[in-house]
Amino acid sequence: MAALVAAVAVYDWYALTHPAKLWIDPVDLRVYTDGGLIVRHVTPLYHAHLSSPLYSRPVAGDLKFTYAPFAAIVFAILSLPSFGQLTMIAIIANIAALVAVVWMTFGSLGYGRGRVRLGATLLVAAALFWTEPVQRTLWLGQIELVLMALIIWDQCQPDRRWWKGAGIGIAAGIKLVPLIFIPYLLLTRRFRQAAVAAGTFAATIGLGYVVLPTDSSQWWLGGLFAQGGRTGFVGWAGNQSLRAIITRLVGSIAGAQPVWLVAAVVTAALGLVCAAALDRAGYRMVGLLCCALTGLLVSPISWDHHWVWIIPGVTVAAHYAVRSRDVAARWAAGGLAAVIILVFGAWPGNLWGQPKDLGNFSEGLIWAPPNTNPGVYYRYGDRPSYPEYHWHGLYLIVGNLYVLTGMALFVMLLVLGARAVRATRATRRPLAPPGPPQRASTVSSASA
């Protein structure tokens, strides 16, 4: 508790002693509330003469509303309090979601409701509070932590509950990336949960058509949901997906498209199969995280704050660092948790000169290289002169650090998944004739 209080106290101290523009710029929260105000027909944001008021014009500066109509309906609730009050609510809710995710993850690993689980939760949450994805979520007023908490809460429910899977459907109705969990549920033979998730997602679409019929037609039938460029520059440093790194290497959004499509299909297939194999081997949370990582890699847009999935990842690694019977496995798991925290740490931007091309936020190693001001892309489109197309040397590693780390973790999970499959098959073979005793090899040690 002392560690978490100290971590949050530093944040509070900085917020109280510095101008707001140096510690928060909730532009994404403004996009949410503006979308909600349009749903509520509040002027001047709402224009009745527009065919699709939600998508026909920017809502917050140059930014566009890039979420499904159902999301705007949900955000209508967020637009009820004043924006200042909502900003404080968002900070508290995100910190609570951080702690809740760690708590639920430990619960899925077999920890009871006791002081050990509580202490471990607070300690891990304190270590992860000052990581860049968490701080970026607080800075922008994003909802990634809340959506992740919703998905993990949903999947931590007992399988006997008929509505299990609805959380995934609701999350997918707000942001489409959680849809990847539906084929994962199918591959793990949880057909009822997959049906509930798909049905709930379909219900969010239906509700969108009831409340916002023209906007829903524009989003779904007009293909807006597939236009990744609406959210910003795909090759921007803040995008840490396979498509982003391929775009930066190729030097063109259009030129990178065919390569990315092939890479995304292969990665999705391997990742989902591996996640299902880990789940069937008894490692449900590891399988869930493998599916989440697959979604981060194959999604056209995986902004830096989308990588809050490192929170349950570090929690699982910390668990194996403490509970594994093998000494080497304990050190490997502990080292993995430490490396993830260091790679994704919210290192202060003055270490590399506090670049001004991102405004006042430059925490984290990925912001060390020069990058394109987000507003430039909205005005001029794709240009070969953008800094991301000219990274070289160390910039190529640091600027792509999240996706490179994700790719390394992905390969590690593929290896563990293959070992789990082999170990599972070995347990199904007929008993061999009696012979000299051999040292047992378990799936648990392989996974750890």
Side-chain angles (χ1 to χ4, degrees):
M1 184 175 291
L4 182 60
V5 168
V8 177
V10 172
Y11 180 85
D12 291 340
W13 166 81
Y14 191 87
L16 293 172
T17 57
H18 293 76
K21 65 179 181 178
L22 295 180
W23 60 274
I24 193 170
D25 184 15
V27 60
D28 287 359
L29 189 62
R30 176 66 71 183
V31 172
Y32 302 154
T33 56
D34 285 357
L37 291 172
I38 291 174
V39 172
R40 293 171 54 201
H41 293 190
V42 175
T43 56
L45 289 167
Y46 175 74
H47 292 270
H49 67 277
L50 296 176
S51 59
S52 54
L54 194 60
Y55 301 114
S56 295
R57 58 189 293 270
V59 291
D62 293 330
L63 299 178
K64 302 174 183 178
F65 192 83
T66 59
Y67 309 94
F70 172 74
I73 298 171
V74 175
F75 297 151
I77 302 173
L78 300 182
S79 65
L80 294 175
S82 69
F83 192 72
Q85 293 173 336
L86 182 61
T87 301
M88 295 298 104
I89 293 172
I91 293 174
I92 295 172
N94 278 317
I95 296 176
L98 163 64
V99 176
V101 165
V102 181
W103 171 266
M104 290 184 292
T105 303
F106 274 127
S108 72
L109 296 170
Y111 292 77
R113 295 175 177 271
R115 289 185 298 174
V116 171
R117 180 179 173 187
L118 178 60
T121 296
L122 297 177
L123 189 60
V124 172
L128 290 165
F129 180 77
W130 282 102
T131 53
E132 194 271 349
V134 172
Q135 289 300 310
R136 184 74 163 154
T137 297
L138 297 175
W139 171 275
L140 295 173
Q142 261 288 342
I143 59 170
E144 295 298 332
L145 279 166
V146 175
L147 291 181
M148 178 177 62
L150 174 61
I151 293 171
I152 291 180
W153 172 82
D154 179 80
Q155 288 302 291
C156 286
Q157 300 302 307
D159 288 340
R160 65 178 181 274
R161 294 186 174 172
W162 64 267
W163 45 262
K164 185 174 180 179
I168 289 176
I170 294 173
I174 297 174
K175 289 194 174 184
L176 300 181
V177 176
L179 284 174
I180 197 169
F181 291 103
I182 295 179
Y184 163 70
L185 292 175
L186 291 173
L187 289 173
T188 55
R189 298 185 178 92
R190 283 175 275 172
F191 301 114
R192 185 181 65 183
Q193 295 178 33
V196 171
T200 305
F201 175 67
T204 67
I205 297 177
L207 182 60
Y209 269 98
V210 170
V211 180
L212 301 166
T214 55
D215 286 298
S216 294
S217 296
Q218 186 74 4
W219 177 259
W220 296 113
L221 302 180
L224 288 182
F225 70 92
Q227 296 179 10
R230 279 181 55 83
T231 63
F233 177 34
V234 174
W236 185 47
N239 187 14
Q240 293 288 312
S241 66
L242 286 176
R243 186 179 183 187
I245 189 173
I246 293 172
T247 299
R248 290 192 279 266
L249 292 174
V250 172
S252 164
I253 295 177
Q257 181 80 356
V259 181
W260 168 71
L261 287 174
V262 174
V265 170
V266 173
T267 302
L270 290 175
L272 288 171
V273 170
C274 177
L278 290 167
D279 180 274
R280 286 195 294 270
Y283 300 95
R284 178 163 289 189
M285 181 54 68
V286 180
L288 185 72
L289 294 180
C290 182
C291 180
L293 176 60
T294 302
L296 288 170
L297 292 176
V298 303
S299 174
I301 302 293
S302 290
W303 299 132
D304 53 333
H305 51 81
H306 292 180
W307 286 85
V308 290
W309 281 94
I310 63 169
I311 294 168
V314 169
T315 305
V316 170
H319 160 74
Y320 284 115
V322 174
R323 294 298 181 91
S324 178
R325 297 178 180 179
D326 184 79
V327 176
R330 287 203 300 268
W331 280 99
L336 177 63
V339 167
I340 293 176
I341 292 174
L342 291 175
V343 167
F344 289 87
W347 301 100
N350 55 22
L351 294 177
W352 42 83
Q354 196 79 19
K356 298 300 182 182
D357 44 12
L358 188 64
N360 292 305
F361 188 94
S362 57
E363 299 173 5
L365 298 174
I366 63 169
W367 301 117
N371 60 81
T372 305
N373 187 295
V376 174
Y377 174 78
Y378 286 117
R379 289 192 294 270
Y380 303 108
D382 195 18
R383 290 288 186 272
S385 60
Y386 289 158
E388 288 87 346
Y389 292 152
H390 303 279
W391 287 349
H392 60 276
L394 189 60
Y395 280 173
L396 283 173
I397 298 176
V398 177
N400 296 301
L401 195 56
Y402 292 2
V403 65
L404 290 175
T405 303
M407 291 166 65
L409 291 171
F410 186 77
V411 171
M412 182 194 74
L413 289 171
L414 290 179
V415 173
L416 296 179
R419 294 179 65 180
V421 169
R422 287 197 299 268
T424 302
R425 289 176 178 174
T427 60
R428 296 174 181 173
R429 293 174 183 170
L431 292 177
Q438 297 180 355
R439 182 177 180 182
S441 176
T442 64
V443 179
S444 180
S445 62
S447 180

